[in-house]
mmCIF file of all heavy atoms in Angstrom:
data_model
loop_
_atom_site.group_PDB
_atom_site.id
_atom_site.type_symbol
_atom_site.label_atom_id
_atom_site.label_comp_id
_atom_site.label_asym_id
_atom_site.label_seq_id
_atom_site.Cartn_x
_atom_site.Cartn_y
_atom_site.Cartn_z
ATOM 1 N N GLN B 399 -87.963 -86.478 -53.060
ATOM 2 C CA GLN B 399 -88.788 -85.606 -53.921
ATOM 3 C C GLN B 399 -89.991 -85.133 -53.113
ATOM 4 O O GLN B 399 -90.343 -83.817 -53.147
ATOM 5 C CB GLN B 399 -89.460 -86.457 -55.073
ATOM 6 C CG GLN B 399 -90.036 -85.649 -56.080
ATOM 7 C CD GLN B 399 -90.711 -86.510 -57.157
ATOM 8 O OE1 GLN B 399 -90.565 -87.810 -57.168
ATOM 9 N NE2 GLN B 399 -91.281 -85.873 -58.116
ATOM 10 N N ALA B 400 -90.619 -85.929 -52.179
ATOM 11 C CA ALA B 400 -91.536 -85.545 -51.402
ATOM 12 C C ALA B 400 -91.130 -84.387 -50.424
ATOM 13 O O ALA B 400 -91.819 -83.365 -50.251
ATOM 14 C CB ALA B 400 -92.275 -86.672 -50.688
ATOM 15 N N ALA B 401 -90.028 -84.690 -49.851
ATOM 16 C CA ALA B 401 -89.543 -83.661 -48.784
ATOM 17 C C ALA B 401 -89.259 -82.292 -49.492
ATOM 18 O O ALA B 401 -89.695 -81.275 -48.947
ATOM 19 C CB ALA B 401 -88.223 -84.213 -48.143
ATOM 20 N N SER B 402 -88.570 -82.250 -50.666
ATOM 21 C CA SER B 402 -88.246 -80.997 -51.240
ATOM 22 C C SER B 402 -89.536 -80.332 -51.745
ATOM 23 O O SER B 402 -89.637 -79.097 -51.693
ATOM 24 C CB SER B 402 -87.239 -81.168 -52.367
ATOM 25 O OG SER B 402 -87.682 -82.122 -53.248
ATOM 26 N N GLY B 403 -90.509 -81.152 -52.275
ATOM 27 C CA GLY B 403 -91.794 -80.585 -52.718
ATOM 28 C C GLY B 403 -92.480 -79.958 -51.623
ATOM 29 O O GLY B 403 -93.093 -78.811 -51.650
ATOM 30 N N ILE B 404 -92.497 -80.560 -50.411
ATOM 31 C CA ILE B 404 -93.164 -80.097 -49.084
ATOM 32 C C ILE B 404 -92.534 -78.715 -48.862
ATOM 33 O O ILE B 404 -93.147 -77.722 -48.477
ATOM 34 C CB ILE B 404 -93.180 -81.059 -48.033
ATOM 35 C CG1 ILE B 404 -94.144 -82.135 -48.403
ATOM 36 C CG2 ILE B 404 -93.537 -80.380 -46.824
ATOM 37 C CD1 ILE B 404 -94.069 -83.235 -47.368
ATOM 38 N N PHE B 405 -91.218 -78.653 -48.759
ATOM 39 C CA PHE B 405 -90.511 -77.383 -48.417
ATOM 40 C C PHE B 405 -90.891 -76.224 -49.306
ATOM 41 O O PHE B 405 -91.158 -75.286 -48.953
ATOM 42 C CB PHE B 405 -89.028 -77.630 -48.398
ATOM 43 C CG PHE B 405 -88.459 -78.417 -47.310
ATOM 44 C CD1 PHE B 405 -87.344 -79.183 -47.418
ATOM 45 C CD2 PHE B 405 -89.130 -78.306 -46.041
ATOM 46 C CE1 PHE B 405 -86.825 -79.852 -46.315
ATOM 47 C CE2 PHE B 405 -88.547 -78.922 -44.980
ATOM 48 C CZ PHE B 405 -87.486 -79.763 -45.095
ATOM 49 N N ASN B 406 -90.838 -76.585 -50.669
ATOM 50 C CA ASN B 406 -91.213 -75.516 -51.599
ATOM 51 C C ASN B 406 -92.634 -74.991 -51.360
ATOM 52 O O ASN B 406 -92.921 -73.737 -51.347
ATOM 53 C CB ASN B 406 -91.144 -76.042 -52.975
ATOM 54 C CG ASN B 406 -89.677 -76.124 -53.520
ATOM 55 O OD1 ASN B 406 -88.806 -75.525 -52.964
ATOM 56 N ND2 ASN B 406 -89.475 -77.054 -54.477
ATOM 57 N N ALA B 407 -93.620 -75.983 -51.211
ATOM 58 C CA ALA B 407 -94.944 -75.565 -50.971
ATOM 59 C C ALA B 407 -95.133 -74.765 -49.663
ATOM 60 O O ALA B 407 -95.746 -73.753 -49.638
ATOM 61 C CB ALA B 407 -95.856 -76.783 -50.952
ATOM 62 N N ALA B 408 -94.453 -75.179 -48.584
ATOM 63 C CA ALA B 408 -94.525 -74.483 -47.326
ATOM 64 C C ALA B 408 -93.923 -73.121 -47.455
ATOM 65 O O ALA B 408 -94.530 -72.157 -47.008
ATOM 66 C CB ALA B 408 -93.782 -75.251 -46.240
ATOM 67 N N GLU B 409 -92.913 -72.994 -48.264
ATOM 68 C CA GLU B 409 -92.210 -71.600 -48.345
ATOM 69 C C GLU B 409 -93.130 -70.687 -49.165
ATOM 70 O O GLU B 409 -93.174 -69.443 -48.706
ATOM 71 C CB GLU B 409 -90.938 -71.911 -49.191
ATOM 72 C CG GLU B 409 -89.857 -70.753 -48.980
ATOM 73 C CD GLU B 409 -88.680 -71.117 -49.680
ATOM 74 O OE1 GLU B 409 -87.942 -72.112 -49.134
ATOM 75 O OE2 GLU B 409 -88.425 -70.620 -50.792
ATOM 76 N N ARG B 410 -93.809 -71.258 -50.095
ATOM 77 C CA ARG B 410 -94.648 -70.269 -50.938
ATOM 78 C C ARG B 410 -95.944 -69.885 -50.256
ATOM 79 O O ARG B 410 -96.474 -68.829 -50.404
ATOM 80 C CB ARG B 410 -94.839 -70.856 -52.273
ATOM 81 C CG ARG B 410 -93.637 -70.653 -53.050
ATOM 82 C CD ARG B 410 -93.577 -71.294 -54.454
ATOM 83 N NE ARG B 410 -94.697 -71.391 -55.164
ATOM 84 C CZ ARG B 410 -95.008 -72.414 -56.011
ATOM 85 N NH1 ARG B 410 -94.167 -73.459 -56.028
ATOM 86 N NH2 ARG B 410 -96.101 -72.367 -56.716
ATOM 87 N N TYR B 411 -96.562 -70.880 -49.504
ATOM 88 C CA TYR B 411 -97.979 -70.677 -49.140
ATOM 89 C C TYR B 411 -98.033 -70.588 -47.546
ATOM 90 O O TYR B 411 -99.270 -70.855 -47.129
ATOM 91 C CB TYR B 411 -98.835 -71.702 -49.745
ATOM 92 C CG TYR B 411 -98.856 -71.612 -51.314
ATOM 93 C CD1 TYR B 411 -98.358 -72.667 -52.056
ATOM 94 C CD2 TYR B 411 -99.286 -70.557 -51.940
ATOM 95 C CE1 TYR B 411 -98.277 -72.778 -53.373
ATOM 96 C CE2 TYR B 411 -99.213 -70.593 -53.319
ATOM 97 C CZ TYR B 411 -98.832 -71.673 -53.976
ATOM 98 O OH TYR B 411 -98.752 -71.609 -55.425
ATOM 99 N N ALA B 412 -97.110 -70.651 -46.818
ATOM 100 C CA ALA B 412 -97.193 -70.913 -45.463
ATOM 101 C C ALA B 412 -98.247 -69.878 -44.776
ATOM 102 O O ALA B 412 -98.007 -68.628 -45.002
ATOM 103 C CB ALA B 412 -95.829 -70.769 -44.608
ATOM 104 N N PRO B 413 -99.287 -70.249 -44.057
ATOM 105 C CA PRO B 413 -100.162 -69.253 -43.511
ATOM 106 C C PRO B 413 -99.672 -68.438 -42.344
ATOM 107 O O PRO B 413 -99.989 -67.434 -42.125
ATOM 108 C CB PRO B 413 -101.430 -70.094 -43.179
ATOM 109 C CG PRO B 413 -100.909 -71.558 -42.978
ATOM 110 C CD PRO B 413 -99.759 -71.637 -43.900
ATOM 111 N N SER B 414 -98.668 -69.069 -41.640
ATOM 112 C CA SER B 414 -98.165 -68.401 -40.516
ATOM 113 C C SER B 414 -96.657 -68.881 -40.268
ATOM 114 O O SER B 414 -96.342 -70.019 -40.767
ATOM 115 C CB SER B 414 -99.024 -68.598 -39.243
ATOM 116 O OG SER B 414 -98.765 -69.903 -38.719
ATOM 117 N N GLN B 415 -95.829 -68.101 -39.581
ATOM 118 C CA GLN B 415 -94.524 -68.492 -39.418
ATOM 119 C C GLN B 415 -94.541 -69.735 -38.579
ATOM 120 O O GLN B 415 -93.731 -70.674 -38.837
ATOM 121 C CB GLN B 415 -93.838 -67.348 -38.508
ATOM 122 C CG GLN B 415 -93.746 -66.079 -39.303
ATOM 123 C CD GLN B 415 -92.535 -66.014 -40.137
ATOM 124 O OE1 GLN B 415 -91.954 -67.057 -40.633
ATOM 125 N NE2 GLN B 415 -91.957 -64.814 -40.300
ATOM 126 N N ARG B 416 -95.315 -69.817 -37.504
ATOM 127 C CA ARG B 416 -95.283 -70.933 -36.594
ATOM 128 C C ARG B 416 -95.573 -72.284 -37.383
ATOM 129 O O ARG B 416 -94.948 -73.206 -37.140
ATOM 130 C CB ARG B 416 -96.224 -70.766 -35.459
ATOM 131 C CG ARG B 416 -96.181 -71.903 -34.506
ATOM 132 C CD ARG B 416 -96.952 -71.724 -33.266
ATOM 133 N NE ARG B 416 -97.263 -72.944 -32.687
ATOM 134 C CZ ARG B 416 -97.845 -73.201 -31.683
ATOM 135 N NH1 ARG B 416 -98.288 -72.000 -30.948
ATOM 136 N NH2 ARG B 416 -98.068 -74.351 -31.139
ATOM 137 N N TRP B 417 -96.568 -72.178 -38.168
ATOM 138 C CA TRP B 417 -96.911 -73.252 -38.964
ATOM 139 C C TRP B 417 -95.864 -73.819 -39.863
ATOM 140 O O TRP B 417 -95.477 -74.910 -40.003
ATOM 141 C CB TRP B 417 -98.142 -72.946 -39.858
ATOM 142 C CG TRP B 417 -98.720 -74.041 -40.636
ATOM 143 C CD1 TRP B 417 -99.725 -74.893 -40.400
ATOM 144 C CD2 TRP B 417 -98.339 -74.397 -42.047
ATOM 145 N NE1 TRP B 417 -100.001 -75.696 -41.416
ATOM 146 C CE2 TRP B 417 -99.144 -75.477 -42.357
ATOM 147 C CE3 TRP B 417 -97.346 -73.906 -42.827
ATOM 148 C CZ2 TRP B 417 -99.008 -76.057 -43.573
ATOM 149 C CZ3 TRP B 417 -97.228 -74.476 -44.128
ATOM 150 C CH2 TRP B 417 -98.019 -75.537 -44.407
ATOM 151 N N HIS B 418 -95.147 -72.808 -40.529
ATOM 152 C CA HIS B 418 -93.963 -73.096 -41.303
ATOM 153 C C HIS B 418 -92.886 -73.827 -40.615
ATOM 154 O O HIS B 418 -92.477 -74.844 -41.001
ATOM 155 C CB HIS B 418 -93.487 -71.824 -41.810
ATOM 156 C CG HIS B 418 -92.560 -71.875 -43.051
ATOM 157 N ND1 HIS B 418 -92.042 -70.905 -43.793
ATOM 158 C CD2 HIS B 418 -91.959 -73.102 -43.650
ATOM 159 C CE1 HIS B 418 -91.247 -71.394 -44.710
ATOM 160 N NE2 HIS B 418 -91.226 -72.657 -44.574
ATOM 161 N N ILE B 419 -92.605 -73.289 -39.369
ATOM 162 C CA ILE B 419 -91.513 -73.879 -38.598
ATOM 163 C C ILE B 419 -91.922 -75.322 -38.158
ATOM 164 O O ILE B 419 -91.270 -76.277 -38.263
ATOM 165 C CB ILE B 419 -91.160 -73.160 -37.421
ATOM 166 C CG1 ILE B 419 -90.429 -71.825 -37.884
ATOM 167 C CG2 ILE B 419 -90.223 -73.830 -36.475
ATOM 168 C CD1 ILE B 419 -90.004 -70.886 -36.843
ATOM 169 N N ASP B 420 -93.205 -75.464 -37.747
ATOM 170 C CA ASP B 420 -93.665 -76.725 -37.335
ATOM 171 C C ASP B 420 -93.630 -77.753 -38.502
ATOM 172 O O ASP B 420 -93.142 -78.947 -38.261
ATOM 173 C CB ASP B 420 -95.246 -76.700 -36.855
ATOM 174 C CG ASP B 420 -95.374 -76.181 -35.427
ATOM 175 O OD1 ASP B 420 -94.337 -76.323 -34.748
ATOM 176 O OD2 ASP B 420 -96.351 -75.761 -35.090
ATOM 177 N N THR B 421 -94.113 -77.332 -39.658
ATOM 178 C CA THR B 421 -94.066 -78.186 -40.864
ATOM 179 C C THR B 421 -92.656 -78.689 -41.186
ATOM 180 O O THR B 421 -92.293 -79.882 -41.297
ATOM 181 C CB THR B 421 -94.500 -77.582 -42.033
ATOM 182 O OG1 THR B 421 -95.764 -76.897 -41.760
ATOM 183 C CG2 THR B 421 -94.778 -78.576 -43.184
ATOM 184 N N ILE B 422 -91.605 -77.756 -41.074
ATOM 185 C CA ILE B 422 -90.185 -78.057 -41.483
ATOM 186 C C ILE B 422 -89.728 -79.081 -40.397
ATOM 187 O O ILE B 422 -89.131 -80.079 -40.618
ATOM 188 C CB ILE B 422 -89.360 -76.917 -41.549
ATOM 189 C CG1 ILE B 422 -89.886 -75.975 -42.683
ATOM 190 C CG2 ILE B 422 -87.934 -77.364 -41.772
ATOM 191 C CD1 ILE B 422 -88.968 -74.960 -43.100
ATOM 192 N N LEU B 423 -90.117 -78.833 -39.042
ATOM 193 C CA LEU B 423 -89.528 -79.687 -38.008
ATOM 194 C C LEU B 423 -90.152 -81.153 -38.160
ATOM 195 O O LEU B 423 -89.511 -82.203 -37.991
ATOM 196 C CB LEU B 423 -89.994 -79.063 -36.731
ATOM 197 C CG LEU B 423 -89.064 -77.956 -36.280
ATOM 198 C CD1 LEU B 423 -89.502 -77.425 -34.982
ATOM 199 C CD2 LEU B 423 -87.651 -78.180 -36.195
#
Side-chain angles (χ1 to χ4, degrees):
Chain B
Q399 191 183 359
S402 55
I404 290 176
F405 282 150
N406 284 339
E409 201 172 288
R410 280 172 39 216
Y411 303 113
S414 73
Q415 299 271 29
R416 179 172 161 179
W417 183 93
H418 194 173
I419 291 181
D420 277 341
T421 311
I422 299 189
L423 288 180

